[in-house]
Amino acid sequence: MKLPSIGVKGLGGKLGSLLPRRKRKGDDEDDDDFEDVDEDDAVSSDGDDDIDDDDEDEDGGGRKWRPSKRLIIVAAAGFVGVLCLGGAGWWFFGGSDDAVEGQAPSADAGSGAVIAMPPRGEAAGMMSPPSQLAGTPGAVATAGPNTGLVVPPLPASPDPALVEQGPQGMLPKIAEDGRTPLQAYARPFDARDDRPKIAIVVAGLGLSRVATEAAIRRLPAPITLAFDAYASDLDVWAAEAREAGHELLVGLPMESAAFPVRDPGPYALLTTLHSGDNIRRMEQVLGQLSGYVGVLAVHGSAFGARADIVRPVLTALKERGLMYVDGTEGDETVGPKIATEIGLPRAFVDVVVDSDPSKAGIDAGLARLESLVRERAVVVGVVRPYPVMVERLRAWAATLESKNLVLAPVSAIADRQFLP
């Protein structure tokens, strides 16, 4: 901001006209306490000529008090200083986001992580699309994958060797060299870490822009993000989440016992469909985005209890090199057992952390996870993107180091839970 140029003498004349005047009797013209204004100090404007005219004292023969040059200079300097401070404050507090886009990464108070955040896009509240993030230098991991001190971005996806064109879009596949999408897209985790491990999956992302952006930007990177198959711009969200270091799942809707009152939508796997139709629906889901390690089964209390229809679906997942995370409702699910039998990497949800979505309820769910993990060594919790969720997860995650517990991506939990 350009500050206006202000002359000290001109400002002094203005201030002098506002100061109180009084008469001194018996003063000599040479009195040192009062100084005449030299012609050089006079202001040429019409308004200031009036001040000079008032300087004559016709009645008392005395002189009117004038501020000294020193007082004028001090007052003018103070006034200019106030203007400078005000301008600096405006620039600091009112500047645009562009002024700080290139600043160094700052510490994330909730997770203890250092995150190099991408620049914001032009749309209010939106993060930059992946094409703008491609050249953004990521943080360099220097302290190991489990410390949470540094958050490196995950490699860009899709890997051309790990996708194929299907009728419903690009689908994951096992590469010719044997690499699987699970191996390629998993967040690194040091398997030698012997602390009890807690995996958190945030489900249903992508439907709310605000909730999705908050989860990507503010949650600790070891937390796994699961995107809803019905959300839009999933490839954009997936790229941004991986740039922030998060491992991904895609939600796979299944028929619940409350169907059709609770309709899981047109991609849902149903008990009334043939296996081929359910696999085609699953491929529709898988084609919505790329860069994920597997699927999170949602709803599904009816579908998940039917071994005859679950097995073909899980076999198709194995053939694509993915992981299966069972988040179905009810205690009758057969998915984890079948996955173990066919060699499909699997995990299952131990605790729905936000079954009571209040602040106290989420805290109680997290405390339940801590209690279980000390008995079982590994546990998985799922939460939904409620507004209070980010705050509570950040605060809780910051306490795990002191409790000798560690957050792990869900891929690090694969095949480590005992079947119920």
Side-chain angles (χ1 to χ4, degrees), residues 116-119 128 130-139 153 243:
M117 293 308 303
S128 300
S131 59
Q132 296 183 20
L133 298 180
T136 303
E243 178 75 16

Side-chain angles (χ1 to χ4, degrees), residues 100-117:
V100 296
E101 280 184 4
Q103 69 184 15
S106 59
D108 186 319
S111 65
V114 176
I115 303 177
M117 293 308 303

Side-chain angles (χ1 to χ4, degrees), residues 37-75:
V37 178
D38 297 331
E39 291 180 2
D40 293 338
D41 295 331
V43 182
S44 61
S45 67
D46 293 341
D48 291 339
D49 288 343
D50 295 338
I51 297 175
D52 294 338
D53 294 343
D54 292 341
D55 288 344
E56 297 179 0
D57 186 358
E58 298 177 357
D59 298 332
R63 305 231 6 207
K64 292 181 179 178
W65 177 81
R66 291 173 177 274
S68 68
K69 289 182 179 179
R70 180 178 300 174
L71 177 60
I72 292 172
I73 292 172
V74 170

Side-chain angles (χ1 to χ4, degrees), residues 23-38:
K23 294 181 179 181
R24 294 277 303 271
K25 293 183 179 181
D27 290 342
D28 294 330
E29 293 182 359
D30 296 333
D31 193 331
D32 292 337
D33 291 338
F34 301 90
E35 299 177 3
D36 289 333
V37 178
D38 297 331

Side-chain angles (χ1 to χ4, degrees), residues 183-217:
Q183 295 167 338
Y185 300 139
R187 176 177 168 80
F189 186 84
D190 189 349
R192 297 169 297 178
D193 194 328
D194 60 359
R195 290 176 292 176
K197 300 166 184 61
I198 302 176
I200 297 290
V201 178
V202 182
L205 291 171
L207 298 176
S208 165
R209 177 181 59 82
V210 173
T212 304
E213 199 167 84
I216 292 172
R217 287 177 176 268

